[in-house]
Amino acid sequence: MPALPEHDFEDRLCQVFHETGESFVPDTPRLAMGGATRGRRRQRRRLALGAAAAVLAVSGLGAAVLPSALHTNGTGPAASPVPSPPVSDPPDAARIPQEAHLASAVAERLPKGLKIVRSDGSTQGSAAFPTNRAWAELVLDDGQGQSLLSVGVFNPHRGAIQPCDQSPFTELECRQTPQPDGGTVAVMQYTGKDANPSRFTAVEWVTADGMTITATSHNVARRGGTPDRPEPLLSAAALSSLATDPSWRTIASQLLAVMPDSTSTNASVQRPDLLPPGLKVVSSTAGAEQTATLADGDRTVVLRLQEEAADRSVLDWFADAPTLPDDTRIRSVANRPVPATQGSTETVVDVLRPDGRRVRVTAVNPAGAGSPDAGRAPLLTLDQLTAIARCPGWTVPAPD
């Protein structure tokens, strides 16, 4: 078989390993987003936080989900202290509560002493959008060069697969080991054919019921980039320890098997004027979750836009939210640190439009340890994100 270009190889590999099984009917309900009566909502939030603390303490995921004031463990990589930026703290009904970041959960499970240079990933929480996967990407540095780490979590309803049996690539060395529970752990290693080749090592844990965790360490700092070090930073043994952590099942159980249709009924609207002048669109993607990486020459911001039709739980979640003159309801949080990431922050605006469409716009400052931007607010402000969220049909611009 002829060798694929390296920039196509990993995309194809992911496609082979992570078929989502669209014939499956999802039987995992979306995360509960409330539904209590307005009079009981605040009390239930307090009770839920206490219950979550108890459950997550058992599962080991508490540090990734609970507010930073409740973090008590000392695990995770060491880093220079980063000053915490100011965090908006409007009344409960207006504020988006703390959510679980997969990047935080991964960071808590890394070997000590690593710097997190950059991070981004998906979130889960009482009002997070439904999704069929959780993901995180972190750029790590051990002093010998930077290395991209990517982690993906898929729920048990997608159907079990055998990674090595399905790989059509001659460039990939794949070893698969049966596990006592009936699942498998596959260790995959890839080396490109260039004089200074790209390499990655991946470990995939597939349980007997189909829960799948992948952890991949690269010798490049960004996808498609040139190697920054001879070998991936994390060894197969370190990746195996990360991928087979049993606490990932808590996250996997909350994922859908198939993504719901969230197509907007509005025509696409190109309104680049809603982005501040001087921001260049470095990359962008379309789909259920639009994303764009924007840069002003010195700093970078990751912009995400999600949209769905509001169901009853969404309506309840917005019931007490502030209402704008056009009847748009809005909840937000500005400049909030992403726990354990050594500097990443986020600003989020979530609106319920009068037409019943819900739109969430997130801006992430991905900068971490060693960056002068660590701990700073994202490049896009709360007002700018609000303008985007309130613009029906707004789409992420194409790369410049």
Side-chain angles (χ1 to χ4, degrees):
M1 172 175 287
L4 288 175
E6 288 187 14
H7 67 275
D8 293 336
F9 175 80
E10 193 173 348
D11 290 342
R12 179 70 195 281
L13 183 66
C14 290
Q15 180 182 354
V16 171
F17 287 162
H18 300 303
E19 292 295 331
T20 57
E22 293 184 358
S23 61
F24 286 87
V25 176
D27 58 357
T28 301
R30 62 173 300 173
L31 297 176
M33 290 192 295
T37 60
R38 293 171 64 176
R40 297 180 181 176
R41 190 176 296 110
R42 185 165 299 174
Q43 179 183 7
R44 292 194 61 177
R45 275 199 297 263
R46 289 195 294 265
L47 293 174
L49 181 60
V55 172
L56 294 168
V58 174
S59 69
L61 287 175
V65 179
L66 298 177
S68 57
L70 299 182
H71 294 184
T72 56
N73 69 45
T75 62
S80 300
V82 174
S84 297
V87 178
S88 69
D89 191 22
D92 286 354
R95 190 170 191 267
I96 296 173
Q98 179 69 56
E99 295 177 332
H101 293 75
L102 191 65
S104 300
V106 172
E108 295 281 354
R109 287 157 177 76
L110 292 175
K112 293 183 178 180
L114 296 180
K115 290 184 178 180
I116 300 174
V117 178
R118 175 186 168 93
S119 62
D120 191 19
S122 61
T123 62
Q124 290 181 302
S126 61
F129 273 59
T131 183
N132 63 345
R133 72 183 183 108
W135 64 275
E137 289 193 346
L138 298 85
V139 177
L140 309 177
D141 194 341
D142 60 356
Q144 304 298 317
Q146 296 183 3
S147 173
L148 173 66
L149 169 66
S150 57
V151 176
V153 181
F154 298 81
N155 82 350
H157 302 280
R158 60 189 288 270
I161 60 174
Q162 302 301 320
C164 294
D165 295 345
Q166 294 200 14
S167 173
F169 305 112
T170 58
E171 303 94 333
L172 187 74
E173 177 187 339
C174 191
R175 305 184 305 277
Q176 192 165 294
T177 305
Q179 300 299 298
D181 66 353
T184 59
V185 171
V187 178
M188 297 158 274
Q189 293 178 309
Y190 169 79
T191 301
K193 298 185 179 298
D194 296 338
N196 183 25
S198 296
R199 304 175 190 269
F200 70 76
T201 300
V203 173
E204 178 155 297
W205 177 33
V206 182
T207 64
D209 63 353
M211 181 186 75
T212 305
I213 313 295
T214 61
T216 308
S217 182
H218 305 254
N219 71 335
V220 300
R222 61 180 179 84
R223 297 185 185 278
T226 57
D228 201 58
R229 52 189 296 130
E231 300 288 339
L233 191 155
L234 294 181
S235 66
L239 291 170
S240 294
S241 177
L242 176 63
T244 59
D245 189 320
S247 59
W248 296 128
R249 187 174 290 277
T250 302
I251 290 177
S253 66
Q254 298 171 346
L255 300 172
L256 301 178
V258 180
M259 283 291 290
D261 182 9
S262 60
T263 304
S264 172
T265 57
N266 298 303
S268 296
V269 176
Q270 291 294 333
R271 287 287 306 277
D273 58 301
L274 294 180
L275 296 175
L279 274 186
K280 178 182 179 181
V281 182
V282 179
S283 63
S284 64
T285 62
E289 179 178 295
Q290 299 182 54
T291 63
T293 300
L294 313 172
D296 67 356
D298 297 316
R299 300 184 61 201
T300 298
V301 62
V302 179
L303 174 68
R304 280 194 290 274
L305 187 147
Q306 300 165 281
E307 184 173 353
E308 67 175 349
D311 60 14
R312 172 49 55 187
S313 60
V314 171
L315 297 177
D316 288 341
W317 192 67
F318 279 98
D320 293 330
T323 304
L324 303 178
D326 66 350
D327 289 331
T328 296
R329 294 181 180 271
I330 181 169
R331 299 184 69 160
S332 63
V333 65
N335 212 8
R336 179 163 62 189
V338 178
T341 59
Q342 302 180 16
S344 179
T345 62
E346 65 177 358
T347 295
V348 188
V349 171
D350 207 329
V351 304
L352 178 62
R353 294 176 180 156
D355 63 1
R357 300 294 295 182
R358 178 200 182 188
V359 180
R360 174 177 284 203
V361 186
T362 304
V364 177
N365 169 18
S371 170
D373 297 325
R376 295 178 63 184
L379 277 173
L380 296 172
T381 67
L382 197 65
D383 288 343
Q384 289 164 340
L385 296 183
T386 301
I388 291 172
R390 295 180 66 190
C391 180
W394 189 85
T395 57
V396 170
D400 297 331

